Amino acid sequence: MHANILVLPGDGIGTEVTAAAVSVLRAVARRYGHEFHFEERLIGGAAIDATGEPLPAATLDAARKADAVLLGAVGGPRWSDPKAKVRPEQGLLAIRKALGLYANLRPVKPHRATLGASPVKPHLLNGVDLVVVRELTGGIYFGDKTRDAGAASDLCSYSVAEIERVVRHACTLARARRGKLTSVDKANVLETSRLWRETTERLVREEFPDVTLEHQLVDSMAMHLLAKPREYDVIVTENMFGDILTDEASMLAGSLGLLPSASLGDGKTGIYEPIHGSAPDIAGKGIANPYAAILSAALLLRHSLGLEREAACVEQAVSAALDAGVLTGDLAPAGRGVRTVEATRAVLENIEADCYVAELRD
Ligand code: IPM
Ligand code: MN
């Protein structure tokens, strides 16, 4: 197949991990006979430096035309002045919103080779396989903001339609998995959460009676996620709760450097990005963990290009690299981590090996 992929490296380690993911996509294209065309544009701090804007019009245009967007990370200390009018993060929020990508999928499936890297006891992690569906274009992230010398406010609002579409997405996913949906809110305090709960309750009853629904308050969810993570299948929640809970959930996998994400809307185009940030402390050193970005490329193959076999091949290649103990500094014992290129090379070699096996089977 032919596909146009827009690459937005962004800032910090974003450039290093997207380069790794692109090399993996090139390997997939070569092995499976696809033609992927890559185009690169600016976003975040890099875009502010070059154009004054975190999301230049040329970037958004290219994103609208692309079949899928692969993104690194945005932000860094040099653009973090609290008084700054423009921030790198605005570029990320704006592109998610402009493309209508309201459902952010963040799968968490700890790998046996990295159980020891998690602060959670290994016996609690065995068999954990969950997906957080985070609402991505509404809530407090996008509400009106005010600020004067003595006070500030951020408005959180949700419409029924906004809740319905993301919950519908989560239900469809749950149906294809273990059929269990946990909706997370703060309905004992927030009006938006009460609307969220009522809407979810009704939608599941009317459209997905075969899906088992439970509600959790976000504070107790934060606890249960660590105490009994195996219980969860699909977790759906609003924008900010999802942001917080997925950083927490990354510790089940052992590192933020392992968690990919897919941001989807009603069309085929999606943004695929690791959930980690630009990691200014290690940027430019060639030691960032590329696996989350590579696994995001796998999600791109699956969700935007419909290439399930290729997606599974990449996931198995990462899994085999982890099994072989190819671990970057965030996962390895102190001083024993491999460099970004070594981890990437292990994945590339495994993709080739996997494809030879596939050819044999054919
Ligand atoms: C994420 C990030 C972003 C978010 C930031 C960089 C704006 O933390 O993708 O989780 O809060 O959505
Ligand atoms: Mn986050």
Side-chain angles (χ1 to χ4, degrees), residues 11 59 95 104-105 111 130-131 137 192 199 223 244 310 314 343:
D11 309 316
T59 300
I95 195 171
N104 180 224
L105 275 52
H111 191 278
L130 61 88
V131 182
T137 54
T192 41
T199 305
M223 173 185 69
I244 297 167
E310 289 80 343
V314 172

Side-chain angles (χ1 to χ4, degrees), residues 74 89 92-93 96 106 134 136 141 239 243 273 275:
V74 299
E89 291 80 2
L92 185 56
L93 300 186
R96 289 169 174 172
R106 299 186 162 188
R134 168 189 176 195
L136 202 61
Y141 271 60
N239 204 343
D243 179 46
E273 54 174 318
I275 85 159

Side-chain angles (χ1 to χ4, degrees), residues 194-267:
R194 287 191 272 272
L195 182 68
W196 183 282
R197 195 175 278 220
E198 273 168 38
T199 305
T200 302
E201 192 77 45
R202 178 181 46 72
L203 187 123
V204 172
R205 191 175 54 237
E206 288 174 4
E207 296 179 29
F208 298 88
D210 51 317
V211 168
T212 308
L213 170 67
E214 75 167 12
H215 301 283
Q216 279 288 346
L217 295 171
V218 63
D219 49 350
S220 91
M221 186 68 212
M223 173 185 69
H224 290 314
L225 202 51
L226 298 182
K228 46 173 192 167
R230 230 189 335 260
E231 302 280 302
Y232 301 100
D233 180 12
V234 177
I235 297 169
V236 65
T237 190
E238 61 126 276
N239 204 343
M240 182 143 88
F241 297 160
D243 179 46
I244 297 167
L245 289 176
T246 49
D247 265 38
E248 186 191 2
S250 77
M251 283 295 105
L252 301 171
S255 168
L256 255 185
L258 287 173
L259 256 60
S261 85
S263 302
L264 307 170
D266 291 324

Side-chain angles (χ1 to χ4, degrees), residues 10-219:
D11 309 316
I13 63 166
T15 52
E16 300 162 53
V17 299
T18 46
V22 166
S23 70
V24 165
L25 287 170
R26 285 193 201 282
V28 166
R30 192 169 62 238
R31 298 308 311 173
Y32 289 92
H34 301 303
E35 230 177 276
F36 296 160
H37 178 76
F38 298 94
E39 203 184 334
E40 201 174 300
R41 288 278 189 279
L42 297 168
I43 193 166
I48 294 176
D49 287 351
T51 70
E53 292 169 51
L55 178 64
T59 300
L60 185 54
D61 280 352
R64 289 191 202 282
K65 291 193 190 108
D67 295 304
V69 180
L70 181 73
L71 196 144
V74 299
R78 62 181 277 190
W79 308 282
S80 287
D81 177 359
K83 293 222 160 63
K85 278 268 174 308
V86 286
R87 295 184 57 101
E89 291 80 2
Q90 291 164 346
L92 185 56
L93 300 186
I95 195 171
R96 289 169 174 172
K97 184 86 172 175
L99 298 181
L101 307 177
Y102 57 82
N104 180 224
L105 275 52
R106 299 186 162 188
V108 182
K109 195 173 173 182
H111 191 278
R112 53 192 171 273
T114 59
L115 292 187
S118 171
V120 177
K121 293 190 180 70
H123 76 273
L124 295 172
L125 298 172
N126 270 320
V128 169
D129 179 2
L130 61 88
V131 182
V132 177
V133 179
R134 168 189 176 195
E135 200 290 327
L136 202 61
T137 54
I140 199 163
Y141 271 60
F142 292 92
D144 288 343
K145 300 178 189 309
T146 68
R147 176 70 192 264
D148 62 32
S153 74
D154 297 275
L155 180 69
C156 182
S157 78
Y158 269 109
S159 70
V160 169
E162 280 176 312
I163 300 166
E164 281 177 345
R165 63 184 185 177
V166 71
V167 173
R168 208 171 266 130
H169 196 110
C171 284
T172 307
L173 189 64
R175 211 173 234 177
R177 291 170 48 97
R178 303 196 300 279
K180 187 173 169 193
L181 181 69
T182 304
S183 173
V184 177
D185 60 38
K186 186 72 184 174
N188 53 348
V189 176
L190 301 178
E191 207 52 53
T192 41
S193 280
R194 287 191 272 272
L195 182 68
W196 183 282
R197 195 175 278 220
E198 273 168 38
T199 305
T200 302
E201 192 77 45
R202 178 181 46 72
L203 187 123
V204 172
R205 191 175 54 237
E206 288 174 4
E207 296 179 29
F208 298 88
D210 51 317
V211 168
T212 308
L213 170 67
E214 75 167 12
H215 301 283
Q216 279 288 346
L217 295 171
V218 63
D219 49 350

Side-chain angles (χ1 to χ4, degrees), residues 279-294:
D281 52 325
I282 59 162
K285 296 188 176 155
I287 57 170
N289 184 342
Y291 293 144
I294 292 171

